[in-house]
Amino acid sequence: MNDISNILETMEYGPAPEDSKDVRAWLKAQKSGFGHFIGGAFTKPEKGATFAVANPADGEKLADVALGTAKDVDEAVAAAGKALKKWQALSCNQRARHLYALARHVQKHSRFLAVLETLDNGKTIRETRDIDIPLVARHFYHHAGWAELRDRSFPGYEAAGVCGQIIPWNFPLLMLAWKVAPALAAGCTVVLKSAEHTPLTAIAFAEICAEAGLPAGVFNLVNGDAEAGSAIAGHPDVSKLAFTGSTEVGRILRRQTAGSGKKLSLELGGKSPFIVFENADLDAAVEGVVDAIWFNQGEVCCAGSRALVQEGIADRFHEKLKARMEKLRVGDPLDKAMDMGAVVAPVQVEQITAKVQAGVAEGAEMWQPSWAGKFSGANEGCFYPPTLFTHVSPASSLAQEEVFGPVFASMTFRTPGEAVQLANNSRYGLAASIWSQNLDEAFDTARKVKSGVVWINSTNLFDAAAGFGGYKESGYGREGGREGMMEYLVPAWQKKAKALPESEALPAPTPAPGGEGGGLDRTVKLYIGGKQARPDSGYSYPVTGKGGKHLAEVGLGNRKDIRNAVEAAHKASGWSGMTGHARAQVLYFLAENLELRAKEFAERLAEAGASSHAAKREVEASVARIMFYAAWADKYDGAVRAPASRMLSLALNEPWEVMGISCPDEAPLLAFISLVIPAISMGNRVVVTPSPMQPLAACDLYQVLDTSDVPGGVINIVTGDRDTLADTMAKHDDIAALWYFGGAKGTEMAERESAGNLKPVWANNGKARDWHDTEQGEGEEFLFRATRIKTIWTPFGV
């Protein structure tokens, strides 16, 4: 009997299964299992240990895969190193052709890859077919363009070298594309470790590399667990490490790579706010929730898992949301009518369940659809129903910790200011979603939220042209866009830089014989909050010049002085809110006043040991450098991109706000100016330690700063031992970024200790830099390091 009339009445879906026979035939052909892909060929898996890969939807074993060891990593890195020179010797156009070919072959095999990803990961075929795989191809197409334009778009830069890349299991092939495409476009070669739960599409991609004619060794794949990942991170011949995964592992990798000279980018956890204002289109916002937290079963680092709903509309919003949850379909991910598939593994179900139970124990109110009970008990498959929590406390684990599952925690707010406070009440800062029909309100909130990506009236949108990455403990570095290319490039001159000797120990803070007498003693204080301050330690140390002549006593700063300086810097937040033009005027005035006292500063440098000619040259260069960054203050712009129809993506350069800077001993005035001025020109406030051995020229700037309208707290100067003070700044949770220019041991310490709040560290790795050279001592590299990019997505014409 025809049931069409009944179907129209009930609106029930019929089954719409995707055919998986081609993928299963491919899996069956590899009965002995899959090996690694090294030097353009697959290894034989029977030579070592293997691990089983299962379909999370039903527990079916799909394949055995070789378990990578340190020896496998050694072989893969050696193959990548061998291929590097030939790959870099290709023209930009030739490398672009290879990336274009990869994009075309991904498209050719798109259905196969979508089905394989669904079997391996558990996500729905609708998502792999319509989102993941098209984005994979898009990334290779986009970066084929960057490969073509690399030399013209990034003059003075070259490829970082052999890159180690470690990807997660939630978007296995897409995360591969996010990392491999820019690396190859930059001229790097790659050793990639797939996720232990989901290695199969990476293996299929390796086959595509061979099919597309990518030169042997340019892409290498090692499968395995944390042992293989650790071997990649610690390998001395890996020049760049890119990692997507948990914040805890990110900390481990930061400590492991400290002092190695490796470039490091980290895309880590998140607890992204989903802010709904009372004037929002509630029906659209409810659909936004579906995309925010039930997309990919909530196994998304930027999932909008933390709702902030304006109090007046909270009840209506929650009722609409519950009605929508009742209609969600969870089941066989190969069924094209399903909204949610299976989470990746039984252990993930256990972790989600434990966090949900903890939320209930904390007093939050849980709600699940009426049909949720069918997923309890001994059911086959790793399914978890969509879950809503209301009456969640801001301090609750549901509001603070990543669940990484289909769990939505909702809180309320009254005013926009309270919404921003609650949104920023998190150690994470990966993404945010804002729903409001008032675009002034939406954009104002977007600028104030501390997140690397903000979606307005939308959520979970991605494109190869739009940078993606986090603030705070969500990591640093960007993937996608021009900023993503910078992660795989280094200034060409750096590879030839000479090593600096380790710094001498400071003189003991005890009375120094040999003073001339007869004059007033000069003891230089610290400069904090626009005022001179005595060091908390009560100690000072002697500074000597030519022939060991005693010049002055300088305050010996300690961790409490750094604390006071950080507090002063945070109070000077108005500097970050000023326009670039206003900051430029202050910097021009600073240059003017320094030039008026040029003779005095030259004499001070000559006292310290510089020749009169060198001293005069250094002061002149310092004035010119201030003017250079004053010119940039209102010109270092972001970008507007159009990644999708009726959608704009705005890449905004935002200051870190409070930065720590450790200055070198060479060129004590010029190096100080070259580091401090680009930082404050971009709106940062800084805590800076000048040259420990020759701090007087920097300290002489106190009066110049006071008479140049530099607000108190914008520049805070703490003298003392560089590494002791850098250790404190690296550990300080309220310093967002650290620049360290000193010895190799100091670099290792600063990077290792920064793992606490995962602040980015820009360091010279113990290498010398010619501060007079405009390529090494100034330029856009300093401005790039002084900012972090926020990507704001907004629809238009809808």
Side-chain angles (χ1 to χ4, degrees), residues 286-502:
V286 166
E287 287 306 308
V289 173
V290 175
D291 290 337
I293 186 61
W294 296 312
F295 167 60
N296 204 46
Q297 299 73 248
E299 297 169 315
V300 185
C301 52
C302 56
S305 59
R306 185 166 54 108
L308 304 171
V309 186
Q310 200 149 14
E311 200 170 78
I313 52 96
D315 289 342
R316 270 199 303 146
F317 177 77
H318 291 144
E319 287 307 310
K320 284 177 174 286
L321 185 58
K322 290 175 182 178
R324 182 68 178 88
M325 291 170 69
E326 278 288 346
K327 299 295 185 182
L328 290 174
R329 289 169 55 83
V330 180
D332 180 9
L334 282 175
D335 186 335
K336 293 186 280 288
M338 290 298 167
D339 297 301
M340 288 172 54
V343 299
V344 75
V347 65
Q348 189 65 14
V349 175
E350 293 171 7
Q351 291 177 2
I352 295 169
T353 302
K355 291 175 181 178
V356 165
Q357 291 172 348
V360 172
E362 291 171 352
E365 186 175 308
M366 185 185 78
W367 189 91
Q368 291 178 333
S370 59
W371 45 263
K374 70 179 183 179
F375 293 113
S376 62
N379 292 14
E380 288 186 356
C382 302
F383 296 97
Y384 200 91
T387 303
L388 168 66
F389 275 96
T390 54
H391 302 101
V392 176
S393 163
S396 165
S397 62
L398 290 171
Q400 294 296 325
E401 300 301 326
E402 196 171 29
V403 176
F404 223 65
V407 180
F408 192 57
S410 186
M411 298 172 280
T412 60
F413 67 91
R414 292 183 177 179
T415 66
E418 184 184 6
V420 171
Q421 283 185 319
L422 288 170
N424 292 336
N425 179 34
S426 173
R427 61 194 178 102
Y428 297 112
L430 189 54
S433 187
I434 299 167
W435 295 80
S436 172
Q437 294 297 89
N438 183 333
L439 286 184
D440 178 61
E441 180 178 63
F443 273 99
D444 183 58
T445 304
R447 291 304 305 268
K448 292 176 179 176
V449 169
K450 303 302 180 189
S451 297
V453 181
V454 181
W455 295 290
I456 293 176
N457 293 326
S458 54
T459 193
N460 274 339
L461 298 175
F462 311 99
D463 188 77
F468 183 90
Y471 284 16
K472 300 188 285 189
E473 292 186 30
S474 289
Y476 45 80
R478 293 293 181 264
E479 294 183 301
R482 180 185 178 89
E483 52 270 35
M485 281 291 292
M486 288 293 291
E487 299 297 331
Y488 293 91
L489 296 166
V490 295
W493 67 265
Q494 263 185 18
K495 292 191 176 182
K496 299 177 183 178
K498 296 180 180 179
L500 284 171
E502 288 296 329

Side-chain angles (χ1 to χ4, degrees), residues 49 222 252 382 471 536 575 652 742 770:
V222 177
I252 293 170
C382 302
Y471 284 16
D536 173 80
W575 179 256
L652 302 179
D770 182 354

Side-chain angles (χ1 to χ4, degrees), residues 527 575 583 587 590 622 625-626 629-630 657 659-664 668-691 698 701 705 710 713-718 739 741 762 771 777 782-783 786:
Y527 186 73
W575 179 256
R583 290 195 297 268
L587 296 182
L590 178 62
S622 297
R625 196 138 294 167
I626 297 173
Y629 289 113
E657 296 187 358
M659 295 175 56
I661 299 177
S662 301
C663 294
L669 176 63
L670 181 57
F672 180 95
I673 293 294
S674 298
L675 293 169
V676 169
I677 302 304
I680 68 169
S681 74
M682 294 294 100
N684 296 290
R685 297 92 70 189
V686 300
V687 177
V688 55
T689 62
S691 162
L701 286 170
L705 297 173
V710 178
V714 172
I715 299 176
N716 303 276
I717 303 174
V718 179
W739 291 359
F741 287 79
W762 182 33
W771 295 99
F782 290 80
L783 302 174

Side-chain angles (χ1 to χ4, degrees), residues 632-713:
W632 269 113
D634 61 352
K635 298 177 185 64
Y636 190 63
D637 298 324
V640 179
R641 295 152 184 164
S645 176
R646 294 185 175 181
M647 185 67 66
L648 288 179
S649 169
L650 312 177
L652 302 179
N653 295 317
E654 290 197 337
W656 296 99
E657 296 187 358
V658 175
M659 295 175 56
I661 299 177
S662 301
C663 294
D665 287 318
E666 62 270 25
L669 176 63
L670 181 57
F672 180 95
I673 293 294
S674 298
L675 293 169
V676 169
I677 302 304
I680 68 169
S681 74
M682 294 294 100
N684 296 290
R685 297 92 70 189
V686 300
V687 177
V688 55
T689 62
S691 162
M693 303 307 294
Q694 295 298 337
L696 297 181
C699 295
D700 285 344
L701 286 170
Y702 295 175
Q703 292 181 348
V704 181
L705 297 173
D706 289 339
T707 57
S708 301
D709 296 338
V710 178

Side-chain angles (χ1 to χ4, degrees), residues 50 124 127 202 246 287 338 357 371 386 449 492 586 627 700 738 778 793:
T50 61
T124 65
E127 291 176 5
S246 72
E287 287 306 308
M338 290 298 167
Q357 291 172 348
W371 45 263
V449 169
V586 173
M627 294 183 67
D700 285 344
L738 176 64
E778 70 177 23
W793 290 70

